Every structure is written in structure tokens, then in C-alpha cells.
Amino acid sequence: MKPTTETALDKNTPETEDLTEVYFADYSFTSGDNRIQFYQPFVWDGSSNLIIEFSFTNSNPSSALLIEGEDAGAGLCLHTADGTHKNKKE
């Protein structure tokens, strides 16, 4: 995770420096809500935008993993598959 003043993400120059790792472990998601406790605190200033990187492998492709969040307006994200990132507008 990292704070940023940017209002949009650029697939040609993604922000990959100075992220704070807050969680790292093998985790088996269950149906319904899952609470993942950070091992490293992350202090947010309450106004900066946040960049959050998720990295996972789904060993059971027939069971799709859904990550939900709130759209704060722009609805932009970058996602990657097989080592290449793409722009996605939701």
C-alpha cells in the first residue's frame, strides 16, 4: 500500500516504488466476508488516494475470487495477468 496525490493511474508508468508491505502469507479464502489482519501498520492521512497491490494465485479456477471495494469516483484501476499490466475502467 502507499499514499499518492495522483488522481489517475498510468499504465505506462505505474507507481511501484515505496509501497509498504502490510500482509504476506498463504491464505485460504472462505465463502462470505474474510478479515485479513495486517502484520505491518499502515497509517493513512485520511485524504491521500491509496495504491493497493493485490497479488494472488487461484489454485481452484472454478472458484472465482471476488475483491470488492468502494468506487470513490474515477473508477480506474490497473490489473495484470501473466506479468503484463492493463488499464481497466469500471
Coordinates of all heavy atoms in Angstrom, one line a residue:
M1 N 0.8 -1.2 0.0 CA 0.0 0.0 0.0 C 0.9 1.2 0.0 O 2.0 1.2 0.5 CB -0.9 0.0 1.3 CG -1.9 -1.1 1.4 SD -2.8 -1.0 2.9 CE -3.8 0.4 2.6
K2 N 0.3 2.3 -0.6 CA 1.1 3.6 -0.5 C 0.1 4.7 -0.8 O -0.8 4.6 -1.6 CB 2.3 3.6 -1.4 CG 2.0 4.1 -2.8 CD 3.3 4.1 -3.6 CE 3.6 5.5 -4.1 NZ 4.8 5.6 -4.9
P3 N 0.3 5.8 -0.1 CA -0.5 7.0 -0.4 C 0.1 7.7 -1.7 O 1.2 7.5 -2.1 CB -0.2 7.9 0.8 CG 1.1 7.6 1.3 CD 1.3 6.1 1.0
T4 N -0.8 8.4 -2.4 CA -0.4 9.1 -3.6 C -1.3 10.3 -3.8 O -2.5 10.3 -3.3 CB -0.5 8.2 -4.9 OG1 -0.1 8.9 -6.0 CG2 -2.0 7.7 -5.1
T5 N -0.8 11.3 -4.4 CA -1.5 12.5 -4.8 C -2.1 12.4 -6.2 O -2.9 13.2 -6.6 CB -0.7 13.8 -4.7 OG1 0.5 13.6 -5.6 CG2 -0.2 14.0 -3.3
E6 N -1.7 11.4 -6.9 CA -2.3 11.2 -8.3 C -3.8 10.9 -8.2 O -4.2 10.2 -7.3 CB -1.5 10.0 -8.9 CG 0.0 10.2 -9.1 CD 0.3 11.4 -10.0 OE1 -0.5 11.6 -11.0 OE2 1.3 12.1 -9.7
T7 N -4.5 11.3 -9.2 CA -5.9 11.1 -9.3 C -6.2 10.0 -10.4 O -7.4 9.6 -10.5 CB -6.7 12.4 -9.6 OG1 -6.2 12.9 -10.9 CG2 -6.5 13.4 -8.5
A8 N -5.2 9.6 -11.1 CA -5.4 8.5 -12.1 C -4.1 7.7 -12.2 O -3.0 8.2 -11.9 CB -5.8 9.1 -13.5
L9 N -4.2 6.5 -12.5 CA -3.1 5.6 -12.7 C -2.7 5.5 -14.2 O -3.6 5.5 -15.0 CB -3.4 4.2 -12.2 CG -3.8 4.1 -10.7 CD1 -4.2 2.7 -10.3 CD2 -2.6 4.5 -9.8
D10 N -1.4 5.5 -14.4 CA -0.9 5.5 -15.8 C -0.2 4.1 -16.0 O 0.7 3.8 -15.4 CB 0.1 6.6 -16.0 CG 0.7 6.7 -17.4 OD1 0.4 5.7 -18.2 OD2 1.4 7.6 -17.7
K11 N -0.8 3.3 -17.0 CA -0.2 2.0 -17.2 C 1.2 2.0 -17.8 O 1.9 1.1 -17.7 CB -1.1 1.2 -18.2 CG -1.1 1.7 -19.6 CD -2.0 0.9 -20.5 CE -1.9 1.3 -21.9 NZ -2.7 0.4 -22.8
N12 N 1.6 3.2 -18.3 CA 3.0 3.3 -18.9 C 4.0 3.6 -17.8 O 5.2 3.3 -17.9 CB 3.0 4.3 -19.9 CG 2.2 4.0 -21.1 OD1 2.2 2.8 -21.6 ND2 1.3 4.9 -21.6
T13 N 3.6 4.2 -16.7 CA 4.4 4.5 -15.6 C 3.8 4.2 -14.2 O 3.4 5.1 -13.5 CB 4.9 6.0 -15.6 OG1 3.7 6.8 -15.6 CG2 5.7 6.3 -16.8
P14 N 3.5 2.9 -14.0 CA 2.8 2.6 -12.7 C 3.7 2.9 -11.5 O 4.9 2.7 -11.6 CB 2.6 1.1 -12.9 CG 3.6 0.6 -13.8 CD 3.9 1.7 -14.8
E15 N 3.1 3.3 -10.5 CA 3.8 3.6 -9.2 C 4.1 2.3 -8.5 O 3.2 1.7 -8.0 CB 3.0 4.5 -8.3 CG 2.8 5.9 -8.8 CD 2.3 6.9 -7.8 OE1 2.7 6.9 -6.6 OE2 1.3 7.6 -8.2
T16 N 5.3 1.9 -8.5 CA 5.7 0.6 -7.9 C 6.8 0.8 -6.8 O 7.2 -0.1 -6.2 CB 6.3 -0.3 -9.0 OG1 7.4 0.3 -9.6 CG2 5.3 -0.7 -10.0
E17 N 7.2 2.0 -6.6 CA 8.3 2.3 -5.6 C 7.6 2.7 -4.2 O 6.5 3.2 -4.2 CB 9.2 3.5 -6.0 CG 9.9 3.2 -7.4 CD 10.9 2.1 -7.3 OE1 11.6 2.0 -6.2 OE2 11.0 1.4 -8.3
D18 N 8.3 2.4 -3.2 CA 7.9 2.8 -1.8 C 6.6 2.3 -1.3 O 5.9 3.0 -0.5 CB 8.0 4.3 -1.7 CG 9.4 4.9 -2.0 OD1 10.4 4.2 -1.7 OD2 9.4 6.0 -2.7
L19 N 6.2 1.1 -1.8 CA 5.0 0.5 -1.2 C 5.3 -0.1 0.1 O 6.4 -0.6 0.3 CB 4.4 -0.6 -2.2 CG 3.7 0.0 -3.4 CD1 4.3 -0.5 -4.6 CD2 2.3 -0.4 -3.3
T20 N 4.4 -0.1 1.1 CA 4.6 -0.7 2.4 C 3.9 -2.1 2.3 O 2.7 -2.1 2.1 CB 4.0 0.1 3.5 OG1 4.6 1.4 3.5 CG2 4.1 -0.5 4.8
E21 N 4.7 -3.1 2.6 CA 4.0 -4.5 2.7 C 3.3 -4.6 4.0 O 3.9 -4.3 5.0 CB 5.1 -5.5 2.6 CG 4.5 -6.9 2.6 CD 5.5 -8.0 2.5 OE1 5.9 -8.4 1.3 OE2 6.0 -8.5 3.5
V22 N 2.0 -4.9 4.0 CA 1.2 -5.0 5.2 C 0.8 -6.4 5.5 O 0.3 -6.7 6.6 CB 0.0 -4.0 5.1 CG1 0.5 -2.5 5.1 CG2 -0.9 -4.3 3.9
Y23 N 0.8 -7.3 4.5 CA 0.4 -8.6 4.7 C 1.1 -9.5 3.7 O 1.2 -9.2 2.5 CB -1.1 -8.8 4.5 CG -1.7 -10.1 4.8 CD1 -2.0 -10.5 6.1 CD2 -1.8 -11.1 3.8 CE1 -2.5 -11.7 6.4 CE2 -2.3 -12.3 4.1 CZ -2.6 -12.7 5.4 OH -3.1 -13.9 5.7
F24 N 1.6 -10.7 4.2 CA 2.2 -11.7 3.3 C 2.0 -13.0 4.0 O 2.5 -13.3 5.1 CB 3.7 -11.4 3.1 CG 4.3 -12.4 2.2 CD1 4.3 -12.3 0.9 CD2 4.9 -13.6 2.7 CE1 4.9 -13.2 0.0 CE2 5.5 -14.5 1.9 CZ 5.4 -14.4 0.5
A25 N 1.2 -13.9 3.4 CA 1.0 -15.2 3.9 C 0.1 -16.0 2.9 O -0.5 -15.4 2.1 CB 0.3 -15.2 5.3
D26 N 0.2 -17.3 3.1 CA -0.8 -18.2 2.3 C -2.1 -18.0 3.1 O -2.2 -18.2 4.3 CB -0.3 -19.6 2.3 CG 0.9 -19.8 1.4 OD1 1.1 -19.0 0.5 OD2 1.6 -20.8 1.7
Y27 N -3.1 -17.7 2.4 CA -4.4 -17.5 3.0 C -5.5 -18.2 2.1 O -5.5 -18.1 0.9 CB -4.8 -16.0 3.0 CG -6.0 -15.7 3.8 CD1 -6.0 -15.5 5.2 CD2 -7.2 -15.5 3.1 CE1 -7.2 -15.2 5.9 CE2 -8.4 -15.2 3.8 CZ -8.4 -15.1 5.2 OH -9.5 -14.8 5.8
S28 N -6.3 -19.0 2.8 CA -7.4 -19.7 2.1 C -8.7 -18.9 2.4 O -9.2 -18.9 3.5 CB -7.5 -21.1 2.6 OG -6.4 -21.9 2.2
F29 N -9.2 -18.3 1.3 CA -10.5 -17.6 1.5 C -11.6 -18.5 1.6 O -11.6 -19.6 1.1 CB -10.7 -16.7 0.2 CG -9.8 -15.5 0.2 CD1 -8.6 -15.6 -0.5 CD2 -10.1 -14.3 0.8 CE1 -7.7 -14.5 -0.6 CE2 -9.2 -13.2 0.8 CZ -8.0 -13.3 0.0
T30 N -12.6 -18.1 2.4 CA -13.8 -18.9 2.6 C -15.0 -18.1 2.0 O -14.9 -16.9 1.8 CB -14.1 -19.1 4.1 OG1 -14.2 -17.9 4.8 CG2 -12.9 -19.9 4.7
S31 N -16.1 -18.7 1.8 CA -17.3 -18.0 1.3 C -17.7 -16.9 2.3 O -17.6 -17.1 3.5 CB -18.5 -19.0 1.2 OG -18.2 -19.9 0.2
G32 N -18.1 -15.8 1.8 CA -18.6 -14.7 2.7 C -17.4 -13.7 2.9 O -16.4 -13.7 2.2
D33 N -17.6 -12.9 3.9 CA -16.5 -11.9 4.2 C -15.3 -12.6 4.9 O -15.4 -13.5 5.6 CB -17.1 -10.9 5.2 CG -18.2 -10.0 4.6 OD1 -18.3 -10.0 3.4 OD2 -18.9 -9.4 5.4
N34 N -14.1 -12.0 4.5 CA -12.9 -12.5 5.1 C -12.1 -11.3 5.6 O -12.0 -10.3 5.0 CB -12.0 -13.2 4.0 CG -12.5 -14.5 3.6 OD1 -12.0 -15.5 4.0 ND2 -13.5 -14.5 2.7
R35 N -11.7 -11.4 6.9 CA -10.9 -10.3 7.5 C -9.4 -10.7 7.5 O -9.1 -11.8 8.0 CB -11.4 -10.1 8.9 CG -10.7 -8.9 9.6 CD -11.3 -8.6 11.0 NE -10.8 -7.4 11.5 CZ -9.7 -7.3 12.3 NH1 -9.0 -8.4 12.5 NH2 -9.3 -6.2 12.7
I36 N -8.6 -9.9 6.9 CA -7.2 -10.1 6.8 C -6.5 -9.1 7.7 O -6.5 -7.9 7.4 CB -6.7 -10.1 5.4 CG1 -7.4 -11.1 4.5 CG2 -5.2 -10.2 5.3 CD1 -7.2 -11.0 3.1
Q37 N -5.8 -9.6 8.8 CA -5.2 -8.7 9.7 C -3.8 -8.3 9.2 O -3.0 -9.2 9.0 CB -5.1 -9.3 11.1 CG -4.5 -8.5 12.2 CD -5.3 -7.3 12.5 OE1 -6.5 -7.4 12.6 NE2 -4.7 -6.1 12.6
F38 N -3.5 -7.0 9.0 CA -2.1 -6.6 8.6 C -1.1 -6.9 9.7 O -1.4 -6.8 10.9 CB -2.1 -5.1 8.4 CG -2.9 -4.6 7.3 CD1 -3.1 -3.2 7.1 CD2 -3.4 -5.4 6.3 CE1 -3.9 -2.7 6.0 CE2 -4.2 -4.9 5.2 CZ -4.4 -3.6 5.1
Y39 N 0.1 -7.3 9.4 CA 1.1 -7.5 10.3 C 1.9 -6.2 10.5 O 2.6 -6.0 11.5 CB 2.0 -8.7 10.0 CG 3.0 -8.4 8.8 CD1 4.2 -7.8 9.1 CD2 2.7 -8.8 7.5 CE1 5.1 -7.5 8.0 CE2 3.5 -8.5 6.5 CZ 4.7 -7.9 6.7 OH 5.6 -7.6 5.7
Q40 N 1.9 -5.4 9.5 CA 2.6 -4.1 9.5 C 1.6 -3.0 9.5 O 0.8 -2.9 8.6 CB 3.5 -4.0 8.2 CG 4.2 -2.7 8.0 CD 5.4 -2.5 8.9 OE1 6.0 -3.4 9.4 NE2 5.6 -1.3 9.2
P41 N 1.6 -2.1 10.5 CA 0.7 -1.0 10.4 C 0.8 -0.1 9.2 O 1.9 0.1 8.7 CB 1.0 -0.2 11.7 CG 1.9 -1.1 12.5 CD 2.5 -2.0 11.6
F42 N -0.3 0.5 8.7 CA -0.2 1.4 7.7 C -1.0 2.6 8.1 O -2.2 2.5 8.4 CB -0.9 0.9 6.4 CG -0.8 1.8 5.2 CD1 0.3 1.9 4.5 CD2 -1.9 2.7 5.0 CE1 0.4 2.9 3.4 CE2 -1.8 3.6 3.9 CZ -0.7 3.7 3.1
V43 N -0.4 3.8 8.2 CA -1.0 5.0 8.7 C -1.4 5.8 7.5 O -0.6 6.3 6.8 CB -0.1 5.8 9.7 CG1 -0.8 7.0 10.2 CG2 0.3 4.9 10.9
W44 N -2.7 6.0 7.3 CA -3.3 6.8 6.2 C -3.6 8.2 6.7 O -4.1 8.3 7.8 CB -4.5 6.1 5.7 CG -5.2 6.8 4.6 CD1 -4.6 7.3 3.4 CD2 -6.6 7.1 4.5 NE1 -5.6 7.9 2.6 CE2 -6.8 7.7 3.2 CE3 -7.7 6.8 5.3 CZ2 -8.0 8.1 2.8 CZ3 -8.9 7.2 4.8 CH2 -9.1 7.9 3.6
D45 N -3.3 9.2 6.0 CA -3.5 10.6 6.4 C -5.0 11.0 6.3 O -5.4 12.1 6.7 CB -2.6 11.6 5.7 CG -2.9 11.6 4.2 OD1 -3.9 11.1 3.7 OD2 -2.0 12.2 3.4
G46 N -5.8 10.2 5.7 CA -7.3 10.4 5.6 C -7.7 11.2 4.4 O -8.9 11.4 4.1
S47 N -6.7 11.7 3.6 CA -7.1 12.5 2.4 C -6.4 12.0 1.1 O -6.9 12.2 0.1 CB -6.8 14.0 2.7 OG -5.5 14.2 2.9
S48 N -5.2 11.4 1.2 CA -4.5 11.0 0.1 C -5.2 9.8 -0.6 O -5.9 9.1 0.1 CB -3.1 10.5 0.4 OG -2.3 11.6 0.9
N49 N -5.0 9.7 -1.9 CA -5.5 8.5 -2.6 C -4.6 7.3 -2.2 O -3.5 7.6 -1.7 CB -5.5 8.7 -4.1 CG -6.5 9.6 -4.5 OD1 -7.6 9.7 -4.0 ND2 -6.2 10.5 -5.5
L50 N -5.0 6.1 -2.3 CA -4.2 4.9 -1.9 C -4.0 4.1 -3.1 O -4.9 3.9 -4.0 CB -5.0 4.1 -0.9 CG -5.1 4.7 0.5 CD1 -5.9 3.9 1.4 CD2 -3.7 4.9 1.1
I51 N -2.8 3.5 -3.2 CA -2.5 2.5 -4.2 C -2.4 1.2 -3.4 O -1.6 1.1 -2.4 CB -1.2 2.7 -4.9 CG1 -1.4 4.0 -5.8 CG2 -0.8 1.5 -5.8 CD1 -0.1 4.4 -6.6
I52 N -3.2 0.2 -3.7 CA -3.2 -1.1 -3.0 C -2.9 -2.2 -4.1 O -3.6 -2.3 -5.1 CB -4.5 -1.3 -2.4 CG1 -4.8 -0.2 -1.4 CG2 -4.5 -2.7 -1.6 CD1 -6.2 -0.3 -0.8
E53 N -1.8 -2.9 -3.8 CA -1.5 -4.0 -4.7 C -1.9 -5.3 -4.1 O -1.6 -5.6 -3.0 CB 0.0 -4.0 -4.9 CG 0.5 -5.2 -5.8 CD 2.0 -5.2 -5.9 OE1 2.7 -4.8 -5.1 OE2 2.5 -5.8 -7.0
F54 N -2.6 -6.1 -4.9 CA -3.0 -7.5 -4.5 C -2.3 -8.4 -5.4 O -2.2 -8.2 -6.6 CB -4.5 -7.7 -4.7 CG -5.4 -7.0 -3.8 CD1 -6.0 -5.8 -4.2 CD2 -5.7 -7.5 -2.6 CE1 -6.8 -5.1 -3.4 CE2 -6.6 -6.8 -1.7 CZ -7.1 -5.6 -2.1
S55 N -1.7 -9.5 -4.9 CA -1.1 -10.5 -5.7 C -1.5 -11.8 -5.2 O -1.4 -12.1 -4.0 CB 0.5 -10.3 -5.5 OG 1.1 -11.4 -6.2
F56 N -2.1 -12.6 -6.0 CA -2.6 -13.9 -5.6 C -2.6 -14.9 -6.7 O -2.6 -14.6 -7.9 CB -3.9 -13.8 -4.9 CG -5.0 -13.3 -5.9 CD1 -5.8 -14.2 -6.7 CD2 -5.3 -12.0 -6.0 CE1 -6.7 -13.7 -7.5 CE2 -6.3 -11.5 -6.8 CZ -7.0 -12.4 -7.6
T57 N -2.6 -16.2 -6.4 CA -2.8 -17.3 -7.3 C -4.0 -18.0 -6.9 O -4.2 -18.4 -5.7 CB -1.6 -18.2 -7.3 OG1 -0.4 -17.5 -7.6 CG2 -1.7 -19.4 -8.2
N58 N -4.9 -18.3 -7.8 CA -6.1 -19.0 -7.5 C -5.9 -20.5 -7.9 O -5.9 -20.8 -9.1 CB -7.3 -18.4 -8.3 CG -8.6 -19.1 -7.9 OD1 -8.7 -20.0 -7.1 ND2 -9.7 -18.6 -8.5
S59 N -5.6 -21.3 -7.0 CA -5.3 -22.7 -7.3 C -6.6 -23.5 -7.7 O -6.5 -24.6 -8.1 CB -4.6 -23.4 -6.1 OG -5.5 -23.4 -5.0
N60 N -7.8 -22.9 -7.5 CA -9.0 -23.5 -7.9 C -9.8 -22.6 -8.8 O -10.7 -21.9 -8.4 CB -9.9 -23.8 -6.6 CG -11.1 -24.6 -6.9 OD1 -11.4 -25.0 -8.1 ND2 -11.9 -24.9 -5.9
P61 N -9.4 -22.6 -10.1 CA -10.0 -21.7 -11.1 C -11.5 -21.7 -11.2 O -12.1 -20.7 -11.6 CB -9.4 -22.0 -12.4 CG -8.3 -23.0 -12.1 CD -8.5 -23.5 -10.8
S62 N -12.1 -22.8 -10.8 CA -13.6 -22.9 -10.9 C -14.3 -22.1 -9.7 O -15.5 -21.9 -9.7 CB -14.1 -24.3 -10.9 OG -13.8 -24.9 -9.6
S63 N -13.5 -21.7 -8.8 CA -14.0 -20.9 -7.7 C -13.4 -19.5 -7.7 O -12.3 -19.2 -7.2 CB -13.6 -21.6 -6.3 OG -14.0 -20.8 -5.2
A64 N -14.1 -18.6 -8.4 CA -13.6 -17.2 -8.7 C -13.4 -16.5 -7.4 O -14.3 -16.6 -6.5 CB -14.5 -16.5 -9.6
L65 N -12.4 -15.6 -7.3 CA -12.2 -14.8 -6.1 C -12.7 -13.4 -6.5 O -12.3 -12.8 -7.5 CB -10.7 -14.7 -5.8 CG -10.3 -13.9 -4.6 CD1 -10.9 -14.3 -3.3 CD2 -8.8 -13.9 -4.5
L66 N -13.6 -12.8 -5.6 CA -14.1 -11.5 -5.9 C -13.6 -10.6 -4.8 O -13.8 -10.8 -3.6 CB -15.7 -11.6 -5.8 CG -16.4 -10.3 -5.9 CD1 -16.2 -9.6 -7.2 CD2 -17.9 -10.5 -5.6
I67 N -12.9 -9.5 -5.2 CA -12.4 -8.5 -4.3 C -13.3 -7.3 -4.5 O -13.4 -6.7 -5.6 CB -11.0 -8.2 -4.5 CG1 -10.1 -9.4 -4.3 CG2 -10.5 -7.0 -3.7 CD1 -8.7 -9.3 -4.7
E68 N -14.0 -6.9 -3.5 CA -14.9 -5.8 -3.6 C -14.4 -4.5 -2.9 O -13.6 -4.6 -2.0 CB -16.3 -6.1 -2.9 CG -17.0 -7.2 -3.6 CD -18.4 -7.5 -3.0 OE1 -18.4 -7.9 -1.8 OE2 -19.3 -7.3 -3.7
G69 N -14.8 -3.3 -3.3 CA -14.4 -2.1 -2.7 C -15.4 -1.0 -3.1 O -16.4 -1.3 -3.8
E70 N -15.1 0.2 -2.7 CA -16.0 1.3 -3.0 C -15.4 2.2 -4.1 O -14.2 2.4 -4.1 CB -16.2 2.2 -1.7 CG -16.9 1.5 -0.6 CD -18.3 1.2 -0.9 OE1 -19.0 2.0 -1.6 OE2 -18.8 0.1 -0.5
D71 N -16.2 2.6 -5.0 CA -15.8 3.5 -6.1 C -15.9 4.9 -5.6 O -16.9 5.4 -5.3 CB -16.6 3.3 -7.3 CG -16.2 4.1 -8.5 OD1 -15.3 4.9 -8.3 OD2 -16.7 3.9 -9.6
A72 N -14.7 5.6 -5.5 CA -14.7 6.9 -5.0 C -14.9 8.0 -6.1 O -14.7 9.1 -5.9 CB -13.4 7.2 -4.2
G73 N -15.2 7.5 -7.3 CA -15.4 8.5 -8.4 C -14.8 8.1 -9.7 O -15.6 7.8 -10.6
A74 N -13.5 8.1 -9.8 CA -12.9 7.9 -11.1 C -13.1 6.4 -11.6 O -13.2 6.2 -12.8 CB -11.4 8.2 -11.1
G75 N -13.1 5.5 -10.7 CA -13.3 4.1 -11.2 C -12.2 3.5 -12.0 O -12.4 2.6 -12.8
L76 N -10.9 3.9 -11.8 CA -9.8 3.4 -12.6 C -9.0 2.5 -11.7 O -8.8 2.7 -10.6 CB -8.9 4.6 -13.1 CG -9.5 5.5 -14.1 CD1 -8.6 6.6 -14.4 CD2 -9.9 4.7 -15.4
C77 N -8.5 1.5 -12.4 CA -7.5 0.6 -11.7 C -6.6 0.0 -12.8 O -6.9 0.1 -14.0 CB -8.2 -0.5 -11.0 SG -9.0 -1.7 -12.0
L78 N -5.5 -0.5 -12.4 CA -4.6 -1.3 -13.2 C -4.6 -2.7 -12.8 O -4.7 -3.0 -11.6 CB -3.2 -0.8 -13.2 CG -2.9 0.6 -13.6 CD1 -1.4 1.0 -13.4 CD2 -3.2 0.8 -15.1
H79 N -4.6 -3.7 -13.7 CA -4.6 -5.1 -13.3 C -3.6 -5.8 -14.2 O -3.3 -5.3 -15.3 CB -5.9 -5.7 -13.3 CG -6.5 -5.9 -14.7 ND1 -7.1 -4.9 -15.4 CD2 -6.5 -7.0 -15.5 CE1 -7.5 -5.4 -16.6 NE2 -7.1 -6.7 -16.7
T80 N -3.1 -6.9 -13.8 CA -2.1 -7.6 -14.5 C -2.5 -9.1 -14.6 O -3.1 -9.6 -13.7 CB -0.7 -7.4 -13.9 OG1 0.2 -8.1 -14.8 CG2 -0.6 -7.9 -12.5
A81 N -2.0 -9.7 -15.6 CA -2.2 -11.2 -15.7 C -0.9 -11.6 -16.5 O -0.6 -11.0 -17.5 CB -3.4 -11.5 -16.5
D82 N -0.3 -12.6 -16.0 CA 0.9 -13.1 -16.6 C 2.0 -12.1 -16.8 O 2.7 -12.1 -17.8 CB 0.6 -13.8 -18.0 CG -0.4 -14.9 -17.8 OD1 -0.3 -15.6 -16.8 OD2 -1.3 -15.1 -18.7
G83 N 2.2 -11.2 -15.9 CA 3.3 -10.2 -15.9 C 3.1 -9.0 -16.7 O 4.0 -8.2 -16.9
T84 N 1.9 -8.7 -17.3 CA 1.7 -7.5 -18.0 C 0.5 -6.8 -17.4 O -0.5 -7.4 -17.0 CB 1.4 -7.8 -19.5 OG1 0.2 -8.7 -19.6 CG2 2.5 -8.5 -20.2
H85 N 0.6 -5.5 -17.3 CA -0.5 -4.7 -16.7 C -1.4 -4.1 -17.8 O -0.9 -3.8 -18.9 CB 0.0 -3.7 -15.7 CG 1.0 -2.7 -16.3 ND1 2.3 -3.0 -16.4 CD2 0.8 -1.5 -16.8 CE1 2.9 -2.0 -16.9 NE2 2.0 -1.1 -17.2
K86 N -2.6 -3.9 -17.4 CA -3.6 -3.3 -18.4 C -4.4 -2.3 -17.6 O -4.6 -2.3 -16.4 CB -4.5 -4.4 -18.8 CG -3.8 -5.6 -19.5 CD -4.7 -6.8 -19.7 CE -3.9 -7.9 -20.2 NZ -4.6 -9.2 -20.2
N87 N -4.9 -1.3 -18.4 CA -5.9 -0.3 -17.8 C -7.2 -1.0 -17.8 O -7.7 -1.6 -18.7 CB -5.9 0.9 -18.7 CG -5.4 2.1 -18.0 OD1 -5.1 2.1 -16.9 ND2 -5.2 3.2 -18.8
K88 N -7.9 -0.7 -16.7 CA -9.3 -1.2 -16.6 C -10.2 -0.1 -16.1 O -9.9 0.5 -15.1 CB -9.4 -2.4 -15.7 CG -10.8 -2.9 -15.6 CD -10.9 -4.2 -14.8 CE -12.3 -4.7 -14.8 NZ -12.4 -5.9 -13.9
K89 N -11.2 0.3 -16.8 CA -12.2 1.3 -16.4 C -13.5 0.6 -16.0 O -14.0 -0.2 -16.8 CB -12.4 2.3 -17.5 CG -13.1 3.5 -17.0 CD -13.0 4.6 -18.0 CE -13.2 5.9 -17.4 NZ -12.9 7.0 -18.2
E90 N -13.9 0.8 -14.8 CA -15.1 0.1 -14.3 C -16.3 1.0 -14.3 O -16.2 2.2 -14.2 CB -14.8 -0.5 -12.9 CG -13.6 -1.3 -12.9 CD -13.6 -2.4 -11.9 OE1 -14.6 -2.5 -11.1 OE2 -12.7 -3.1 -11.8

